[in-house]
Amino acid sequence: MSEIKYDRVKKKLKSLIENGEYAAGDKLPTESELMKKFDVSRYTIRRAAGELENEHYIYRIQGGGMYVDEWQKQRKVGNNTKMIGIITTHLADYIFPRIISGTDRILSGNGYSLILSNTHNDRENENRAIQRMIGNQVDGIIIEPSQSALPYRNMEYYQKIKDANIPALFINAHYPELDFPYLEVNDLQAEQEMTDHLIEMGHKRILGMFQVDDMQGANRLRGFLDAYLAHPEISYMSQTIMYQSTQDMNPIFKRAVSALQSNEPPTAVICYNDELAIQMMNVIKSLDLKIPDDVSIVGFDDFIMGHYVIPKLTTVQHPKEKMGVDAAKMIIDMINGKKVESKKYKLNLIYNDSIKKTDEDRKKK
């Protein structure tokens, strides 16, 4: 039981220090005050304090009490833990396993191990993950930011990474306010090209469905709208459905059904990603509409499951493993003090059987 109590006290004090409740140089409460605060024995307090002292979070002055150490400056390049933290929005599904696989291949080959954290695209989870990575004294952090398009950002937590001298980089999205390097895809350009392609195939009424609380979705929406703006004669025919990752999707699908059953239904649907596109294919088929004869549909990211649906899904390539490999190489270079450059991947469009020219366009030819 004393082991459990000691660990609880240690974690709580460590959290208070990392969160800035006690700054470097601050005097901590006395042993007696901490005993009362945590309702534990003096032995438990001393054991917790001893561990924190070993980890350079506190130091003791004989007869003068306990003080917060310069814990953020205790990280030394030659004293690394050989651990890299990876914080993603969705760890075990969609495209992320292949990104992590690429990262792990390079890092393990260089003697590093991984600490993985899944935020479920929630910023509070991201805050806790960052604190955990700092507490574990990782040598570097690779972050896919959560809800990256929303105005409030976890800048104070990213600042803690900088203060702790931990190399960090972003994947899939980045914040211009920070000087962290990043790896991301050119979402805007790829979505614009895909929309242009559908318009060239005769599709005038296209429904765009985009998750807009992350930068990927916001940029894909912009690409969709920019393509229409380049065709002012049909720009008024575009339709959009926007949603956030925290929303119940049932009302979103109902809005899509209403659009598909309207007097002037869309002849094509562009989806935020392949996962949504596969769900929409089921919705379209439930309305006794045929793909692509009645409705063309495209996704984004080249998700493996899109290869097995019928018809095979038209999509945009995402450099999953390559992004993981590049991220691993970059973070190792940063740990070794080398300068790295951010990179934005140009994507290839993959045309499959889920799209076709409209009857009107075929008649013209």
Side-chain angles (χ1 to χ4, degrees):
M1 182 62 73
S2 61
E3 182 75 17
I4 296 172
K5 288 182 179 179
Y6 126 79
D7 194 49
R8 175 172 60 85
V9 172
K10 175 189 170 184
K11 287 179 179 177
K12 180 60 177 176
L13 286 173
K14 191 173 182 179
S15 176
L16 290 171
I17 292 169
E18 288 178 347
N19 287 332
E21 296 287 333
Y22 296 115
D26 284 355
K27 185 176 181 179
L28 292 175
T30 66
E31 287 184 354
S32 297
E33 289 170 335
L34 290 173
M35 288 166 58
K36 185 176 180 180
K37 177 180 178 66
F38 293 108
D39 191 24
V40 295
S41 68
R42 190 175 300 275
Y43 167 79
T44 300
I45 295 298
R46 287 182 175 177
R47 187 167 181 184
E51 288 288 331
L52 290 172
E53 187 172 19
N54 290 337
E55 295 176 17
H56 305 290
Y57 277 86
I58 69 171
Y59 62 93
R60 290 188 253 207
I61 297 177
Q62 187 78 26
M66 297 179 290
Y67 295 81
V68 178
D69 203 347
E70 296 280 352
W71 61 277
Q72 293 171 323
K73 297 182 180 179
Q74 293 299 328
R75 302 182 49 82
K76 306 248 191 268
V77 173
N79 205 21
N80 57 15
T81 61
K82 301 297 283 187
M83 291 191 299
I84 303 296
I86 299 182
I87 301 173
T88 69
T89 57
H90 300 285
L91 183 60
D93 59 5
Y94 200 50
I95 65 173
F96 297 97
R98 293 172 67 183
I99 294 174
I100 293 166
S101 175
T103 305
D104 182 54
R105 189 164 68 250
I106 299 301
L107 292 178
S108 61
N110 284 271
Y112 287 89
S113 57
L114 300 182
I115 299 178
L116 303 176
S117 189
N118 184 3
T119 69
H120 298 285
N121 205 29
D122 179 89
R123 284 180 168 175
E124 287 303 314
N125 290 338
E126 182 183 85
N127 297 345
R128 287 189 285 269
I130 290 173
Q131 291 182 71
R132 188 161 56 250
M133 298 297 180
I134 294 173
N136 285 321
Q137 295 188 326
V138 296
D139 297 301
I141 307 179
I142 299 168
I143 310 169
E144 184 192 38
S146 297
Q147 296 179 305
S148 52
L150 296 185
Y152 169 73
R153 294 165 178 169
N154 297 337
M155 292 303 164
E156 66 272 28
Y157 290 92
Y158 297 128
Q159 185 60 45
K160 289 180 180 180
I161 295 174
K162 293 172 71 72
D163 291 343
N165 298 315
I166 302 176
L169 65 87
F170 286 126
I171 59 171
N172 284 329
H174 77 283
Y175 297 135
E177 304 96 310
L178 296 170
D179 59 359
F180 292 176
Y182 59 87
L183 294 169
E184 61 187 27
V185 301
N186 199 329
D187 297 283
L188 189 152
Q189 180 182 354
E191 200 69 272
Q192 184 173 358
E193 289 181 7
M194 182 62 82
T195 307
D196 280 335
H197 182 72
L198 288 175
I199 291 173
E200 288 170 4
M201 296 178 77
H203 295 279
K204 298 177 182 178
R205 295 186 302 277
I206 304 174
L207 172 64
M209 301 179 67
F210 299 99
Q211 179 178 304
V212 293
D213 57 349
D214 63 41
M215 291 306 299
Q216 301 96 297
N219 286 328
R220 291 169 195 179
L221 172 61
R222 283 180 55 202
F224 172 76
L225 296 175
D226 285 353
Y228 262 103
L229 289 174
H231 299 274
E233 71 282 1
I234 61 167
S235 60
Y236 67 95
M237 296 185 182
S238 68
Q239 302 175 61
T240 56
I241 295 176
M242 292 174 276
Y243 63 95
Q244 294 192 8
S245 57
T246 54
Q247 284 184 250
D248 177 6
M249 290 301 293
N250 286 324
I252 304 303
F253 291 129
K254 287 180 180 179
R255 288 176 59 191
V257 167
S258 295
L260 290 165
Q261 292 182 326
S262 65
N263 292 332
E264 294 186 325
T267 59
V269 179
I270 288 184
C271 295
Y272 162 72
N273 62 14
D274 289 355
E275 191 172 39
L276 177 63
I278 292 169
Q279 292 174 300
M280 277 303 300
M281 290 177 80
N282 291 329
V283 170
I284 291 168
K285 291 174 183 178
S286 74
L287 299 175
D288 291 327
L289 297 173
K290 294 181 180 179
I291 304 171
D293 294 337
D294 297 317
V295 184
S296 292
I297 186 165
V298 303
F300 205 111
D301 292 331
D302 193 21
F303 179 36
I304 187 66
M305 292 305 297
H307 297 209
Y308 299 103
V309 295
I310 299 175
K312 191 174 178 180
L313 183 62
T314 293
T315 186
V316 179
Q317 184 185 54
H318 187 290
K320 308 165 192 67
E321 286 92 349
K322 179 168 176 53
M323 177 179 279
V325 166
D326 289 346
K329 290 179 178 178
M330 282 178 67
I331 203 70
I332 290 173
D333 283 345
M334 293 170 71
I335 291 168
N336 292 328
K338 296 180 181 179
K339 183 177 176 58
V340 300
E341 297 292 335
S342 298
K343 181 176 182 179
K344 184 170 284 195
Y345 301 94
K346 187 181 185 306
L347 304 183
N348 296 319
L349 278 57
I350 303 173
Y351 302 121
N352 287 320
D353 302 328
S354 66
I355 62 172
K356 66 182 292 187
K357 293 180 179 180
T358 62
D359 290 337
E360 182 179 344
D361 188 71
R362 286 197 299 273
K363 289 175 183 177
K364 288 180 182 177
K365 294 177 168 43

